[in-house]
Amino acid sequence: ITPAFEPSWTTARHLGSELPEKYGVRVLYPTSNLADSTVEEILTSRGFLVTRLNVYDTKFPFWDKDQLEQAKKVDIVAFCSPSAATSWAEKVGRDFIAVTFGPSTTTRAEKLNFREVRSCQAMQLESLVDLLERCYHRSTEVRDLDASM
């Protein structure tokens, strides 16, 4: 499938401000119950007729004691949505390196005051993997240095 349009950056602001009118002015906006109204507001201000349709609900899972203990043992956590960062901070805490994918996720992780927030250079899977690898190698080097002291 080839998309008819892709914004220059994958954010709500870019989508709202860059969507060309040549495709028509009626827009169906399928989204989640937690998505803010940025896309709708920008498109409406540009003259589009926007219908928002919440097609899924984001729900936070129940974790048993063992799952929670496992989560507390990691050093690096990758977040691809603001709600994931919020859920983790509430359940597990903030003393982790947060590797984030996307500007809204980065902003949320920073507001949540994770120990360190590292953001991908580009909105591509390869960028996320590269950043995770770099953080992993750095954290193992620090652990090795601590163990030798």
Side-chain angles (χ1 to χ4, degrees):
I1 298 174
T2 303
F5 164 74
E6 293 181 79
S8 62
W9 192 250
T10 52
T11 67
R13 281 193 178 79
H14 284 86
L15 176 61
S17 63
E18 295 175 10
L19 183 69
E21 295 173 14
K22 70 180 182 180
Y23 300 114
V25 295
R26 295 185 319 151
V27 175
L28 175 62
Y29 176 49
T31 190
S32 86
N33 64 313
L34 295 183
D36 67 20
S37 59
T38 302
V39 170
E40 298 160 89
E41 291 170 4
I42 294 172
L43 288 173
T44 300
S45 75
R46 293 182 53 214
F48 286 89
L49 304 171
V50 181
T51 301
R52 178 185 176 127
L53 180 62
N54 289 345
V55 295
Y56 66 96
D57 289 341
T58 301
K59 296 183 180 185
F60 303 110
F62 170 79
W63 288 2
D64 64 29
K65 184 179 175 184
D66 290 336
Q67 291 170 313
L68 185 57
E69 290 306 312
Q70 280 185 307
K72 290 179 179 180
K73 293 178 183 176
V74 302
D75 299 309
I76 304 162
V77 185
F79 299 116
C80 296
S81 73
S83 60
T86 299
S87 179
W88 184 276
E90 290 172 355
K91 287 180 183 297
V92 188
R94 296 164 175 82
D95 192 23
F96 302 92
I97 298 170
V99 172
T100 59
F101 190 73
S104 58
T105 305
T106 301
T107 299
R108 178 72 58 84
E110 290 170 344
K111 286 181 181 177
L112 290 166
N113 293 317
F114 278 89
R115 179 177 71 211
E116 184 178 337
V117 177
R118 304 288 307 267
S119 181
C120 293
Q121 296 291 326
M123 293 289 290
Q124 298 170 340
L125 183 58
E126 295 82 10
S127 180
L128 177 62
V129 171
D130 179 60
L131 182 54
L132 284 167
E133 286 178 340
R134 285 186 282 129
C135 288
Y136 170 77
H137 290 300
R138 193 182 77 194
S139 74
T140 56
E141 288 170 6
V142 169
R143 238 178 302 164
D144 291 345
L145 181 61
D146 288 344
S148 69
M149 298 181 122

